[in-house]
Amino acid sequence: MNLEPILVVDDEEGLRYVMTRQLRSAGYTVEAAEDGQEAIEKLSEKQYAVVITDMKMPRVDGLGVIQKANEIAPNTELIVLTGHGSLENAVEAFKAGNVAEYLLKPLDDIGLLNAVVTRALEKRHLKLQNRQLTSELQCAYEELKKTSKQLIQSEKMSAIGQLAAGVAHELNNPLTAVLGFAQFIDEKVKEQAPREWNDEDTNRIMNALQNVVKGAHRCRDIVASLIRFSRSSHAELHSEIDINQVLMDAFVFTEHLLLRQGITLVKNLSQDLPKAIGSASRLQHVFTNLIINAQQASSEGGVVTVTTQYDPNSQTIAIMVEDSGPGIQPDHLPHIFEAFYTTRPESHAGLGLSIASQIVQEHHGEITVQSQPERGSRFIVSLPIAKALETDPPDALAA
Ligand SMILES: Nc1ncnc2c1ncn2[C@@H]1O[C@H](COP(=O)(O)OP(=O)(O)OP(=O)(O)O)[C@@H](O)[C@H]1O
Ligand SMILES: [Mg+2]
């Protein structure tokens, strides 16, 4: 039995009675209305599966009922009752919308009513099912689009990881050789410098050798951090960190670049920041990338401002890197966090922001950007404080 009732609308009392009785005896719940006005009132109050409506009625006619039903009850099927002489009425009704069937008056064979109602209900059922399937399909499509985007992104990242690991591995052997030979030469020269060298020569050569060793050590650190990055391990994500300290470390590497270009670095660091949790070196990488991006976007006389702030409501620390550069075009904005997306010259890989956003995600934080052409850019990293993660530890940070 159908849960939603059928509404019979006819100003002829006899016909209304016959139709109502016939449908009730077929097991339907039926309600009746004397004219279009009453039908519209009923339609505004509840849902009907089917409305069977006469066309010619006082107050509001069938067309009025159809128009109203289309507006407020698009899931209701409409059946039109029309006299032989007014077929153009029926045509008009069909044109007005959701009309599934029509019945000709007089209703010589009342049994026909059941067949027409059954057909209308079947149509309605199919339509509802169709709508449901379409919306499920739409959801599945959206989901698929999202996943495939993530997949492409993570494939790109894993390709970079593999590349980095490969390069690092290849560099390790020659680096060991460079360090080994440097040590060998160092020992030999210390044992006995060639006779034709005076003290000054020896000092210069020892100095040069120390520079070789220092350079090789620096390369080894870079290789180690490449390997760390390619493994993308969560192992060192557990220490409590002072974000201001991480920023100061980042300034050590970046401030001279800004000064050299005549750009001022303004440090607005809040003195009472709670501790965050994670990897200081990886976060330093994020801030260094943002500051270098700001520097690259700025010209002489520009200002780069780095601000830290604690928001007790969300229990997050916000780190903002702002510049007074040319800003980002609206059509570039959706892409800047993608791997290999760059609007800069060929020497840029377009990796800075995609790596930064990966690291921030590992820390259960968020990175966003606000920018308008000619009005500078502001990158905001927001990180949960350590205490917030203690009470509600996200999976990756949980012990
Ligand atoms: N502060 C900024 N001002 C204006 N545009 C920016 C800024 N930061 C990033 N962008 C835009 O976002 C793009 C992507 O930045 P991202 O750091 O990922 O790559 P990149 O700087 O181009 O290359 P890489 O970082 O690998 O050297 C940049 O090419 C640039 O178009
Ligand atoms: Mg960059």
Side-chain angles (χ1 to χ4, degrees):
M1 165 120 51
N2 243 286
L3 288 178
E4 288 172 350
I6 293 172
L7 181 63
V8 172
V9 192
D10 203 309
D11 57 331
E12 273 177 57
E13 194 185 349
L15 190 53
R16 213 165 56 226
Y17 173 74
V18 171
M19 286 196 290
T20 306
R21 203 190 52 184
Q22 172 70 17
L23 290 171
R24 281 198 183 130
S25 66
Y28 297 111
T29 310
V30 188
E31 290 181 22
E34 288 190 4
D35 59 21
Q37 181 64 38
E38 194 187 347
I40 287 174
E41 281 158 20
K42 281 179 170 288
L43 275 170
S44 337
E45 276 163 22
K46 75 158 96 142
Q47 291 270 342
Y48 292 89
V50 175
V51 173
I52 305 165
T53 182
D54 187 17
M55 287 306 285
K56 273 200 193 128
M57 288 181 290
R59 300 208 286 173
V60 175
D61 65 2
L63 216 51
V65 175
I66 292 166
Q67 278 158 351
K68 194 68 188 174
N70 277 334
E71 195 185 309
I72 60 173
N75 289 335
T76 302
E77 290 294 331
L78 303 167
I79 299 171
V80 161
L81 273 170
T82 184
H84 276 294
S86 51
L87 261 183
E88 62 285 1
N89 241 342
V91 173
E92 221 177 317
F94 271 93
K95 274 194 205 150
N98 221 5
V99 176
E101 300 280 343
Y102 74 97
L103 281 163
L104 281 180
K105 276 187 183 181
L107 272 180
D108 298 332
D109 178 5
I110 189 72
L112 198 62
L113 181 64
N114 284 359
V116 169
V117 168
T118 310
R119 267 208 311 267
L121 284 172
E122 274 168 6
K123 267 190 197 164
R124 178 170 184 270
H125 179 66
L126 281 177
K127 261 196 227 170
L128 289 177
Q129 233 177 8
N130 215 351
R131 209 163 292 169
Q132 165 86 9
L133 283 175
T134 312
S135 105
E136 279 171 19
L137 202 67
Q138 185 66 26
C139 285
Y141 174 66
E142 292 299 330
E143 191 61 23
L144 196 69
K145 235 168 55 179
K146 212 169 91 191
T147 326
S148 87
K149 223 169 150 186
Q150 280 168 352
L151 199 68
I152 292 169
Q153 185 74 359
S154 71
E155 273 190 358
K156 277 181 184 172
M157 291 314 292
S158 105
I160 301 161
Q162 279 170 20
L163 189 74
V167 170
H169 184 78
E170 284 304 308
L171 285 180
N172 250 339
N173 291 341
L175 265 180
T176 311
V178 169
L179 279 168
F181 286 129
Q183 211 171 349
F184 172 72
I185 298 169
D186 184 68
E187 279 164 16
K188 281 284 163 213
V189 173
K190 273 184 190 149
E191 257 171 41
Q192 192 192 3
R195 246 177 261 127
E196 59 273 24
W197 291 3
N198 58 29
D199 282 355
E200 196 187 330
D201 287 339
T202 312
N203 281 344
R204 268 200 5 235
I205 286 167
M206 293 302 276
N207 228 340
L209 211 53
Q210 265 164 21
N211 279 334
V212 170
V213 173
K214 223 158 85 188
H217 277 150
R218 170 120 178 85
C219 290
R220 209 176 50 183
D221 289 347
I222 294 172
V223 163
S225 77
L226 267 179
I227 289 176
R228 255 203 313 279
F229 176 71
S230 74
R231 285 194 193 130
S232 190
S233 115
H234 290 261
E236 49 151 353
L237 272 173
H238 297 275
S239 23
E240 287 214 331
I241 42 178
D242 175 353
I243 290 293
N244 283 345
Q245 183 57 53
V246 176
L247 282 167
M248 307 282 245
D249 288 341
F251 296 152
V252 170
F253 292 104
T254 50
E255 195 163 11
H256 68 279
L257 289 174
L258 295 160
L259 290 178
R260 217 169 48 193
Q261 216 179 304
I263 301 162
T264 313
L265 177 64
V266 178
K267 302 164 197 168
N268 251 336
L269 306 187
S270 154
Q271 281 322 299
D272 31 41
L273 281 191
K275 292 273 194 298
I277 210 159
S279 154
S281 63
R282 289 173 75 66
L283 286 175
Q284 187 185 323
H285 192 85
V286 172
F287 304 137
T288 306
N289 260 318
L290 294 182
I291 296 168
I292 289 184
N293 273 350
Q295 173 247 329
Q296 287 165 346
S298 303
S299 40
E300 199 176 345
V303 181
V304 172
T305 310
V306 179
T307 310
T308 52
Q309 246 170 29
Y310 171 54
D311 176 5
N313 289 329
S314 58
Q315 296 200 302
T316 55
I317 297 169
I319 303 97
M320 285 169 274
V321 180
E322 287 167 75
D323 63 63
S324 52
I328 301 168
Q329 297 293 331
D331 54 328
H332 295 164
L333 261 185
H335 304 291
I336 59 171
F337 292 102
E338 288 170 12
F340 301 117
Y341 183 84
T342 181
T343 59
R344 293 178 169 155
E346 253 174 34
S347 57
H348 289 269
L351 284 177
L353 287 177
S354 91
I355 293 173
S357 106
Q358 196 197 353
I359 297 173
V360 172
Q361 273 171 33
E362 276 171 16
H363 285 75
H364 299 274
E366 238 183 31
I367 180 166
T368 51
V369 57
Q370 299 167 346
S371 183
Q372 277 176 11
E374 306 313 320
R375 304 179 78 169
S377 308
R378 175 194 281 161
F379 285 83
I380 306 168
V381 174
S382 123
L383 296 170
I385 60 164
K387 230 172 98 211
L389 294 177
E390 246 169 47
T391 47
D392 183 18
D395 298 344
L397 290 180

